[in-house]
């Protein structure tokens, strides 16, 4: 997929580069933030919601709409479908569409000039730092969107139809400034066809997983591949084992970078369980040095049975996936004594959409977001991008999902309220970097699980 594919990294890897890009290339925006000019700028306040459920923001049909979309792993065809929906209602609107991977490069000059677009998918390696934009008074408070009528059922508000964690993910202080539209599910992935051909059964417990890995290796297939150059993928497995073992309180303490969290027996239990992969030589040879595309391509070629990733994987690997691969999702298998159920999965909202406070058609931007949060809009996204959205029950029966997306949707339904998320990668960058470095040492068998725990505890001192 070429060197640009690293722009397709979803939420966790992107933001480190985004910080660097912003610090290097947005001096005037940062200066505005430092100077506090946004704190008294009431343009960031939320627009009023009117009584017309069909047009609560008072959008004028003839006003143009300016849309910029991060064109990464999800492409931008889905956004064009949203724009077509908008045109059906506001037929006089001339819509400007830009799909790009250069979000900050293209948009920071426009923000600095006071001429931003009306709605932006602020994602990718050049993602603009949302807290900086908020501090500079550059973003619209989306409370009006949350309080607007849900188009499919005006008796409900938008806030009533969002999956758990969506509002919190986009909230800074006490206001939501970004609509994180894509609901990402994290876990293990495998080829259901390969498993059917070999007579293998997807494991539910970690003991079953390790036993199956032995069977897989004996059949001449590497049991496990991972994206070695980006250790946060392996951390999906390690931290999910730890989180399911220790429960919600431990997850909260890890997210808060509490040193005492690392003394919880669940931490050593989780990383020790993961380390059995290395102890038994179950890794795909060379995977520790591979990029995401290299390891995922090898996995698509049947060289490895399992790989960790988020639910963007299917769309990202379309060109490399055999037609009969039958991609399938597996929640991280359970350990004895887990505090969270076996069906629990790490899941959360990502792909932040924002409406600039100085947008010429701010109300049109809000209305486009409201249209995205319909079954029609959610279905169009699922069909085009092969991923779920944050709309509850957003996938209609008429939407034809690819196997991996359908499998992850089933897992979310099975989890119910048993979803959890780790926020430290977004909020505690220095700690996350140290933990990734420790995991790189672990998968190369240069440190033990006990040493990994010690390094994780020490890294909490780097709390932001």
């Amino acid at each position: 997929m070429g060197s640009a594919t690293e722009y397709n990294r979803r939420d966790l890897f992107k933001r480190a580069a985004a910080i660097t890009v912003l610090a290097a290339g947005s001096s005037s925006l940062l200066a505005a933030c430092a100077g506090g000019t946004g704190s008294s700028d009431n343009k960031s306040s939320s627009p009023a919601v009117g009584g017309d459920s069909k047009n609560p923001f008072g959008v004028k049909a003839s006003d143009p709409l300016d849309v910029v979309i991060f064109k990464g792993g999800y492409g931008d065809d889905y956004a064009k479908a949203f724009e077509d929906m908008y045109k059906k209602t506001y037929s006089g609107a001339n819509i400007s569409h830009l799909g790009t991977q250069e979000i900050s490069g293209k948009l920071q000059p426009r923000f600095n000039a006071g001429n931003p677009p009306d709605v932006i998918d602020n994602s990718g390696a050049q993602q603009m730092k949302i807290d900086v934009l908020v501090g500079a008074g550059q973003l619209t408070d989306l409370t009006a969107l949350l309080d607007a009528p849900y188009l499919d059922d005006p008796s409900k508000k938008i806030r009533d139809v969002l999956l758990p964690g969506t509002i919190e993910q986009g909230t800074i202080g006490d206001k939501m400034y970004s609509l994180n539209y894509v609901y990402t599910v994290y876990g293990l992935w495998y080829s259901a066809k390969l498993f059917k051909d070999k007579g293998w059964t997807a494991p539910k417990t970690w003991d079953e997983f390790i036993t199956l890995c032995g069977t897989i290796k004996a059949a001449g297939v590497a049991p496990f591949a991972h994206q070695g150059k980006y250790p946060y993928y392996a951390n999906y497995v390690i931290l999910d084992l730890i989180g399911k073992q220790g429960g919600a309180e431990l997850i909260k303490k890890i997210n808060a970078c509490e040193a005492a969290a690392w003394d919880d027996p669940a931490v050593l239990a989780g990383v020790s369980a993961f380390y059995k992969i290395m102890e038994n030589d179950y890794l795909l040879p060379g995977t520790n040095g591979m990029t995401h595309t290299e390891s995922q391509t090898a996995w698509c070629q049947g060289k490895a049975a399992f790989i960790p990733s988020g639910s963007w994987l299917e769309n990202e690997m379309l060109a490399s996936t055999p037609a009969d691969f039958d991609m399938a999702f597996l929640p991280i298998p359970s350990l004895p004594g887990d505090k969270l159920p076996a069906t629990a999965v790490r899941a959360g909202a990502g792909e932040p959409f924002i409406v600039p406070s100085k947008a010429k058609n701010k109300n049109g931007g809000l209305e486009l977001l409201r249209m995205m949060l319909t079954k029609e809009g959610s279905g169009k996204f699922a069909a085009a991008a092969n991923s779920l959205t944050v709309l509850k029950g957003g996938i209609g029966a008429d939407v034809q999902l690819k196997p991996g997306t359908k499998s992850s949707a089933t897992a979310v339904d099975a989890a119910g309220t048993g979803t959890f998320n780790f926020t430290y990668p977004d909020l505690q960058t220095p700690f996350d970097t140290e933990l990734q470095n420790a995991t790189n040492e672990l998968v190369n068998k240069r440190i033990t699980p006990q040493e990994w725990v010690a390094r994780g505890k020490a890294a909490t001192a780097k709390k932001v």
Side-chain angles (χ1 to χ4, degrees):
M1 295 172 67
S3 60
T5 55
E6 196 49 38
Y7 285 104
N8 299 347
R9 302 296 81 223
R10 298 267 71 93
D11 305 316
L12 301 182
F13 185 66
K14 299 180 301 198
R15 47 105 181 94
I19 294 168
T20 303
V21 169
L22 191 60
S26 61
S27 57
S28 57
L29 182 55
L30 285 169
C33 178
T37 59
S39 60
S40 61
D41 185 355
N42 61 14
K43 289 184 179 180
S44 65
S45 62
S46 189
V49 179
D52 182 359
S53 64
K54 292 183 179 180
N55 187 10
F57 306 121
V59 177
K60 295 179 181 177
S62 59
D63 283 354
L65 187 70
D66 189 348
V67 182
V68 175
I69 300 293
F70 168 65
K71 190 174 181 179
Y74 300 126
D76 65 344
D77 286 345
Y78 71 88
K80 294 174 182 177
F82 296 155
E83 292 157 12
D84 288 342
M85 292 170 60
Y86 188 93
K87 284 280 286 185
K88 286 181 181 177
T89 301
Y90 305 103
S91 57
N94 179 38
I95 299 179
S96 170
H97 174 100
L98 173 65
T100 181
Q101 294 179 347
E102 301 175 32
I103 293 296
S104 62
K106 296 286 188 183
L107 296 185
Q108 281 172 14
R110 294 190 59 182
F111 272 91
N112 294 336
N115 181 36
D118 301 313
V119 63
I120 303 162
D121 171 18
N122 179 39
S123 190
Q126 290 194 31
Q127 175 187 52
M128 293 179 291
K129 194 77 168 131
I130 287 179
D131 56 353
V132 174
L133 293 172
V134 171
Q138 296 280 1
L139 295 187
T140 300
D141 168 13
L142 299 182
T143 300
L145 174 68
L146 297 177
D147 290 335
Y150 171 47
L151 270 165
D152 292 343
D153 181 356
S155 69
K156 297 178 180 178
K157 294 181 178 180
I158 292 293
R159 66 171 69 248
D160 300 326
V161 297
L162 300 177
L163 285 168
T166 303
I167 294 174
E168 293 80 359
Q169 189 69 26
T171 296
I172 293 179
D174 59 353
K175 297 177 180 178
M176 188 177 99
Y177 289 98
S178 64
L179 170 66
N180 288 268
Y181 184 67
V182 183
Y183 202 66
T184 303
V185 189
Y186 303 85
L188 293 174
W189 299 80
Y190 64 97
S191 164
K193 178 184 185 299
L194 174 65
F195 273 51
K196 182 179 180 181
D197 290 347
K198 299 290 187 181
W200 301 332
T201 300
K204 293 183 179 179
T205 70
W206 194 257
D207 285 343
E208 290 174 356
F209 172 80
I210 293 298
T211 299
L212 177 59
C213 283
T215 302
I216 292 170
K217 185 177 180 181
V221 178
F224 188 86
H226 73 110
Q227 303 82 340
K229 286 194 174 182
Y230 310 109
Y232 61 85
Y233 284 92
N235 279 346
Y236 294 155
V237 184
I238 299 172
L239 271 294
D240 284 16
L241 285 165
I242 291 170
K244 293 176 83 163
Q245 175 78 180
E249 280 304 309
L250 179 59
I251 293 170
K252 183 178 179 180
K253 291 176 180 177
I254 290 174
N255 283 331
C257 280
E258 293 185 17
W262 294 80
D263 297 327
D264 191 306
V267 177
L268 181 59
V271 70
S272 297
F274 176 78
Y275 195 65
K276 290 181 180 179
I277 295 173
M278 276 62 69
E279 285 183 316
N280 292 287
D281 195 25
Y282 289 155
L283 288 179
L284 172 70
T287 193
N288 286 344
M290 291 182 181
T291 66
H292 62 293
T293 41
E294 289 169 344
S295 61
Q296 291 163 191
T297 298
W299 172 71
C300 287
Q301 293 169 345
K303 295 176 181 177
F306 291 105
I307 196 165
S309 186
S311 49
W312 62 79
L313 177 67
E314 185 167 44
N315 202 60
E316 187 170 63
M317 300 307 295
L318 283 177
S320 303
T321 306
D324 59 352
F325 190 79
D326 199 6
M327 195 177 293
F329 173 82
L330 179 71
I332 299 300
S334 60
L335 295 172
D338 274 359
K339 290 185 179 179
L340 297 183
T343 55
V345 292
R346 184 197 299 211
E351 205 73 14
F353 281 74
I354 56 177
V355 175
S357 59
K358 295 180 180 178
K360 289 185 174 63
N361 190 7
K362 181 161 50 177
N363 291 343
L366 291 169
E367 182 66 5
L368 182 68
L369 297 185
R370 192 169 77 111
M371 290 181 173
M372 288 163 53
L373 293 167
T374 59
K375 286 198 173 183
E376 180 185 2
S378 185
K380 286 180 183 297
F381 178 83
N386 301 302
S387 288
L388 310 177
T389 77
V390 295
L391 180 68
K392 290 179 183 176
I395 307 299
D398 58 332
V399 178
Q400 298 299 311
L401 299 178
K402 289 191 176 295
T405 306
K406 187 175 183 179
S407 178
S408 60
T410 299
V412 170
D413 288 343
T417 57
T419 60
F420 61 95
N421 204 4
F422 283 96
T423 59
Y424 73 83
D426 292 313
L427 303 178
Q428 301 290 345
T429 301
F431 168 76
D432 179 41
T433 299
E434 289 295 308
L435 200 60
Q436 289 191 50
N437 291 340
T439 296
N440 183 55
E441 296 296 294
L442 185 79
V443 296
N444 283 287
K445 299 173 73 172
R446 292 193 288 260
I447 63 173
T448 65
Q450 290 81 2
E451 290 170 322
W452 185 89
V453 174
R455 287 183 60 160
K457 183 175 183 178
T460 61
K462 296 183 179 290
K463 178 178 179 180
V464 174

